[in-house]
Amino acid sequence: MSARENILARIREKSGRNGVTSAPELAAVRAHIAEHACGPLPSISRHDPVTHFIAECARLKSTTAELDDIAALPAEVARYIAANALRMRCVGWHEFAALNWQSAGIQFDDRPANGDDLIGLTGSFCGIGETGTLLLLGAPATPKATALLPETHICVVKKSRILATMEDSFALMRNEIGEPPRATFFVSGPSRTADIEQTLVIGAHGPYRVHVILIP
């Protein structure tokens, strides 16, 4: 008996089950996993996910802005950059490359971010109202480095894709893309840690500014 088999046998023995796992038991476990049964969910975020999302973003120290049209995105990015006294330059996902960045006075680089880039612009798969969280899915056209490497992360999310709970986001992934990609990551405000003497440090493992722009 291998070490793994020995551990599993001891667990089964302590659970009042002897012998190896039977075929019906395995089938029952696989059926449960495939069913994606959902546990109890909070009700507060379901009343108005967008309003709750904005409130949670504020609690997490993410700033937000709302636009009526995606065409206004360069102007809003320029306003945010100027308000924070940053350079008028950002790197971003390809889906935003066709916007008129020149008119806003911004140099937009259509490529993944590297260690020298200070502002990264990304889209998102969806937002989660319960926690003010953004869900991003990594792919060649949506590199995660652009969200993680720069000091400032500007993220665009459609209000129509702000869901009530994290469970809703998992259901949306299953419905739209099946299995999630290898790089699936959640952004809940600026990066922070309090590991050392419980002193809060912003920007410990990623951006220390997160600006969320909501579009229709």
Side-chain angles (χ1 to χ4, degrees):
M1 180 180 292
S2 68
R4 176 176 179 274
E5 291 170 335
N6 183 40
I7 291 171
L8 293 175
R10 291 168 61 188
I11 292 174
R12 287 181 61 81
E13 182 181 357
K14 295 296 183 184
S15 302
R17 299 176 180 179
N18 295 318
V20 298
T21 305
S22 66
E25 286 175 324
L26 282 176
V29 170
R30 287 167 178 154
H32 179 78
I33 293 174
E35 185 181 358
H36 298 296
C38 189
L41 297 175
S43 60
I44 186 170
S45 60
R46 292 190 175 277
H47 300 310
D48 187 341
V50 174
T51 300
H52 205 83
F53 176 84
I54 293 172
E56 286 300 300
C57 282
R59 185 179 65 81
L60 295 168
K61 308 302 181 188
S62 293
T63 54
T64 56
E66 294 185 62
L67 304 179
D68 294 329
D69 194 299
I70 185 67
L73 181 62
E76 168 54 26
V77 172
R79 183 204 64 78
Y80 179 81
I81 290 176
N84 287 278
L86 304 174
R87 290 181 60 194
M88 286 289 177
R89 177 177 183 176
C90 72
V91 60
W93 286 1
H94 178 70
E95 65 186 86
F96 304 113
L99 295 173
N100 191 351
W101 296 99
Q102 188 174 8
S103 67
I106 298 176
Q107 179 180 333
F108 180 88
D109 296 329
D110 178 13
R111 58 171 173 76
N114 58 45
D116 297 325
D117 294 307
L118 299 180
I119 302 174
L121 174 66
T122 76
S124 59
F125 180 71
C126 69
I128 301 169
E130 177 187 0
T131 56
T133 298
L134 300 156
L135 171 56
L136 285 71
L137 306 181
T142 57
K144 65 178 182 180
T146 306
L148 298 175
L149 285 180
E151 295 178 348
T152 299
H153 177 200
I154 301 176
C155 186
V156 179
V157 59
K158 293 182 178 179
K159 286 191 281 189
S160 59
R161 293 182 70 86
I162 295 179
L163 312 173
T165 67
M166 187 168 290
E167 286 82 355
D168 293 328
S169 71
F170 292 143
L172 187 64
M173 274 197 293
R174 285 194 291 270
N175 290 335
E176 293 191 352
I177 63 172
E179 290 295 321
R182 177 173 177 268
T184 300
F185 55 107
F186 298 90
V187 177
S188 298
S191 170
R192 68 193 69 196
T193 183
D195 289 346
I196 301 175
E197 298 181 349
Q198 296 188 334
T199 300
L200 183 63
V201 177
I202 300 294
H205 310 295
Y208 60 79
R209 295 189 198 91
V210 175
H211 184 52
V212 183
I213 301 176
L214 294 87
I215 62 173

